[in-house]
Amino acid sequence: MIKPEFFVTELLSAGVDFFAGVPDSLLKSMCAYITERVDADRHVITANEGGAVALATGYHLATGGIGCVYMQNSGLGNVVNPLASLTDREVYHIPMLLIVGWRGRPGVHDEPQHVKQGKVTTGLLNVMGVNYEVLSHDETVAARQIAHAVREIKERGDVFALVVEKDTFEPYALTVPTPTSDWELSREEAIAHVARGAEPDAVMVSTTGMISRELFEYRARKGEGHERDFLTVGSMGHASQIALGVAMQQSGRRVYCMDGDGAAIMHMGSMAIVGSRKPRNLVHIVFNNGAHDSVGGQPTVGFDIDLVQIATACGYRKAIRIESLAELEALPSKLKGTEGPIFVEIRVRKGNRKDLGRPTTTPIENKEALMNFLKKGAPEA
């Protein structure tokens, strides 16, 4: 395995000294080391991966230097456009190093949302004309690969990728404390209260990661079925638009979107669409812990911005913030009879149970159960 300190030091020594990206579970040790050891003006955790490519482009334009963009391979979907229409040699020809975590690599067990992306990762890089190497677990070999990658970038002026498998990096955890430990509510507790207080015929659309897992386990503990929930196990940042699509077609049914701060920020423009469409039956809840919790706990800007004011400016009819159990317990009464779209920010502590399970149903089973539930219809709006 590679020490994160060794890897980052090799990059810095080679002249790669600007970092931007979205944290990934396979890269969390590297991301944690960069977060703590690289100056803030040389490192930005971006809203999405395409933004990281644009940021590294701006860095190159201003300095002539090589930026490093890190991401999970699911983020390749967000960088296809800037790679093809911005950095490509037939457009602006911007040199750049990509570090890509290879979730769902063929032959390695992974969650359903990573299987397809894992199969097409290297093929997608090939189609985009991005040369790559799979990073070795041996530091001596890895050092040669880094040197080769940087040499190729400098000589050709192109984008080059280092693809990172599971267990490539030695563990390295963030040591800087975060303010999220001060919040009264845990995310799992907050999710349970929201689900318990929802209308019997309401639908929940939960975002990828811990939120969907905790909602699933809540239903299991209560002995309830999962047919009212759409567990978005991939497509980070798109849960609110899935919920909007359901809400527009089932106007007599209350639809809840259970979102995370990182996911909501990743595609924040979706809030403007919700606000402009004004679905009266949609409640958009963001569980804000100020962190990319499931991939290492690196910070988001969730506590640096005012999500409630943003929602109000986007056209939500009502927007509130919850920070205590008493406020959370009063939420159902506040929602009753209130027209949407409604935005609720619930500030919660970072972290989750170590024994938190994963959904035992497949995505197809989840989809079919929900669709059968929705076929029953709901009262007219």
Side-chain angles (χ1 to χ4, degrees):
M1 299 176 77
I2 299 174
K3 295 182 182 65
E5 179 181 7
F6 167 84
F7 183 75
V8 176
T9 299
E10 287 291 313
L11 291 178
L12 293 171
S13 298
V16 179
D17 60 356
F18 182 85
F19 302 86
V22 177
D24 166 47
S25 57
L26 301 191
L27 307 178
K28 63 183 179 182
S29 294
M30 181 201 78
C31 293
Y33 185 85
I34 292 171
T35 298
E36 290 195 343
R37 302 302 181 93
V38 175
D39 292 341
D41 61 349
R42 296 283 178 170
H43 177 222
V44 180
I45 298 175
T46 56
N48 59 59
E49 297 84 358
V53 170
L55 193 59
T57 296
Y59 169 76
H60 174 72
L61 294 175
T63 68
I66 299 170
C68 175
V69 172
Y70 57 82
M71 70 190 78
Q72 186 181 109
N73 54 347
S74 61
L76 285 173
N78 282 334
V79 302
V80 165
N81 175 259
L83 286 182
S85 63
L86 177 65
T87 66
D88 192 81
R89 62 169 44 236
E90 295 185 58
V91 192
Y92 289 105
H93 200 192
I94 305 293
M96 193 173 299
L97 177 67
L98 307 182
I99 310 293
V100 182
W102 197 355
R103 294 296 302 270
R105 178 171 184 170
V108 178
H109 176 72
D110 213 324
E111 299 306 310
Q113 67 269 29
H114 298 298
V115 173
K116 181 66 174 184
Q117 189 67 60
K119 290 179 181 177
V120 303
T121 293
T122 56
L124 193 55
L125 291 171
N126 286 329
V127 168
M128 298 302 297
V130 176
N131 290 329
Y132 70 90
E133 287 192 23
V134 178
L135 188 65
S136 172
H137 294 221
D138 179 87
E139 290 186 346
T140 301
V141 178
R144 290 200 295 266
Q145 290 177 310
I146 293 169
H148 170 71
V150 175
R151 186 169 58 250
E152 284 280 301
I153 293 169
K154 289 180 176 178
E155 291 178 357
R156 298 167 58 89
D158 291 336
V159 176
F160 194 99
L162 291 174
V163 181
V164 180
E165 302 172 293
K166 184 179 180 180
D167 297 328
T168 296
F169 290 110
E170 289 186 1
Y172 184 93
L174 285 170
T175 59
V176 176
T178 64
T180 59
S181 59
D182 296 333
W183 298 115
E184 179 181 347
L185 298 164
S186 72
R187 183 184 53 239
E188 188 167 15
E189 177 185 19
I191 287 171
H193 273 81
V194 171
R196 187 162 52 245
E199 299 81 354
D201 66 344
V203 166
M204 303 281 176
V205 177
S206 55
T207 191
T208 189
M210 298 299 181
I211 291 176
S212 281
R213 292 167 63 180
E214 288 170 344
L215 176 60
F216 187 92
E217 290 224 337
Y218 167 77
R219 299 290 192 204
R221 281 197 311 274
K222 299 291 288 184
E224 299 175 355
H226 306 282
E227 68 279 357
R228 289 175 289 169
D229 307 327
F230 185 80
L231 309 172
T232 314
V233 295
S235 301
M236 182 173 171
H238 295 299
S240 68
Q241 298 301 278
I242 298 172
L244 175 61
V246 175
M248 289 174 62
Q249 304 307 316
Q250 299 239 342
S251 58
R253 187 191 304 277
R254 182 61 69 81
V255 178
Y256 292 80
C257 173
M258 291 188 169
D259 220 344
D261 51 301
I265 292 167
M266 177 170 278
H267 294 296
M268 193 177 283
S270 294
M271 291 176 63
I273 302 305
V274 171
S276 69
R277 297 299 306 188
K278 291 202 167 23
R280 298 176 182 272
N281 56 328
L282 181 63
V283 180
H284 186 182
I285 300 177
V286 172
F287 299 94
N288 184 6
N289 62 5
H292 288 284
D293 210 3
S294 63
V295 291
Q298 288 78 20
T300 70
V301 295
F303 293 139
D304 299 325
I305 61 177
D306 193 326
L307 290 170
V308 170
Q309 287 194 21
I310 291 170
T312 300
C314 285
Y316 285 70
R317 285 192 172 94
K318 187 178 183 66
I320 60 176
R321 176 177 295 120
I322 288 175
E323 298 180 353
S324 70
L325 179 59
E327 292 172 329
L328 182 58
E329 289 176 337
L331 180 61
S333 62
K334 288 185 177 180
L335 297 181
K336 188 174 182 180
T338 303
E339 288 188 351
I342 303 167
F343 182 88
V344 183
E345 177 195 4
I346 304 179
R347 295 195 166 187
V348 296
R349 296 191 300 272
K350 195 172 85 168
N352 56 274
R353 284 189 291 115
K354 299 302 180 185
D355 61 346
L356 181 65
R358 296 180 182 274
T360 55
T361 56
T362 68
I364 295 295
E365 290 170 339
N366 175 214
K367 178 197 75 170
E368 291 177 347
L370 175 67
M371 292 183 71
N372 287 332
F373 178 76
L374 292 174
K375 285 178 183 177
K376 298 175 185 177
E380 291 296 321

